[in-house]
Amino acid sequence: MSQFVFPETWRSPGTLRHAGRLLGLYLVRRDGAFEDARMITEVEAYDSEKDLACHARFGRTRRSEVLYAAGGIWYVYLCYGVHEMLNLVVGPPDHPAALLIRSVEGIAGPGRVTKALRVGRSLNRCVTEPGCGLYLEDRGVRVPGRLIRRTPRIGVDYAGPIWANKPWRFTFDPTKLRATPAGPVQG
DNA sequence: TACTCGATCGGA
DNA sequence: CCGATCGAGTAA
């Protein structure tokens, strides 16, 4: 059974808590005839202007403005002039924070995720709803805390050791998930 | 406007 | 290890 995850889900404070809850959810993409849905297996948290790895480290700018909106919208930007990066904006208004989706089941690497799901900057600022063509579903996967690994974020050494070493990368091994308990039988 | 650098990836 | 490739941000 799939349950649509409402955008409002991501508006409360608690960036790291949201990161843990994003693991195991399905990222659903519909674009014309194209359709794909994959379980999220790796995310990174970027939180506030203090975080020198976060795009909000310069305060409100043309690019970072989207991070200051209420959670539940997408932030997509171009990295190295080549790769699109997909983030979920989280937190209340005026608290800039986002979760980078680094991997989904079967696809590792943030640049590969967006390529596989045909995600581009046209989705920047879009709400996480079906009408947007990109949204989240809860398909009953429960990721136990003991499976979640936290490590430093990738590729942010420029932020300095304090911020580069924060264990804000969340991953888990989906093959270690226990089969979901059988629910009510449906036709 | 000139300049630097990057939340990556694929190939040498 | 290195180049691709371009937009954001800073300084001037």
Side-chain angles (χ1 to χ4, degrees):
Chain A
M1 186 61 190
S2 294
Q3 202 70 38
F4 170 61
V5 178
F6 289 85
E8 291 77 12
T9 304
W10 312 104
R11 290 183 185 172
S12 60
T15 303
L16 299 185
R17 180 175 52 86
H18 285 313
R21 296 187 70 85
L22 190 53
L23 293 177
L25 294 185
Y26 276 74
L27 183 62
V28 184
R29 176 65 167 140
R30 297 183 200 284
D31 180 26
F34 179 81
E35 189 173 325
D36 200 359
R38 291 171 185 269
M39 184 168 54
I40 296 172
T41 55
E42 178 184 4
V43 304
E44 274 177 2
Y46 291 84
D47 186 75
S48 88
E49 298 177 350
K50 290 193 241 180
D51 177 3
L52 297 184
C54 180
H55 284 174
R57 64 186 179 280
F58 300 120
R60 289 180 186 262
T61 65
R62 198 181 176 82
R63 177 171 69 169
S64 72
E65 185 63 34
V66 59
L67 299 175
Y68 291 79
I73 62 176
W74 301 114
Y75 168 43
V76 186
Y77 72 94
L78 185 64
C79 185
Y80 291 99
V82 181
H83 308 284
E84 314 273 354
M85 299 283 120
L86 173 63
N87 298 252
L88 173 66
V89 174
V90 297
D94 300 318
H95 181 99
L99 304 173
L100 170 67
I101 297 178
R102 290 194 64 90
S103 302
V104 294
E105 199 169 23
I107 303 171
R112 290 176 172 178
V113 168
T114 54
K115 185 178 180 187
L117 295 185
R118 302 190 188 177
V119 168
R121 279 166 290 174
S122 63
L123 289 168
N124 191 37
R125 294 174 177 273
C126 285
V127 181
T128 62
E129 293 178 328
C132 181
L134 185 68
Y135 58 97
L136 298 161
E137 277 184 359
D138 182 343
R139 298 192 173 183
V141 174
R142 290 289 171 268
V143 183
R146 61 175 196 82
L147 284 189
I148 298 178
R149 299 279 175 269
R150 291 179 55 175
T151 79
R153 295 170 292 183
I154 306 296
V156 296
D157 286 350
Y158 65 87
I162 299 297
W163 296 99
N165 290 331
K166 297 271 185 194
W168 288 359
R169 170 173 172 259
F170 295 68
T171 63
F172 77 99
D173 181 354
T175 68
K176 295 221 167 47
L177 283 175
R178 208 171 152 179
T180 54
V185 179
Q186 57 175 348

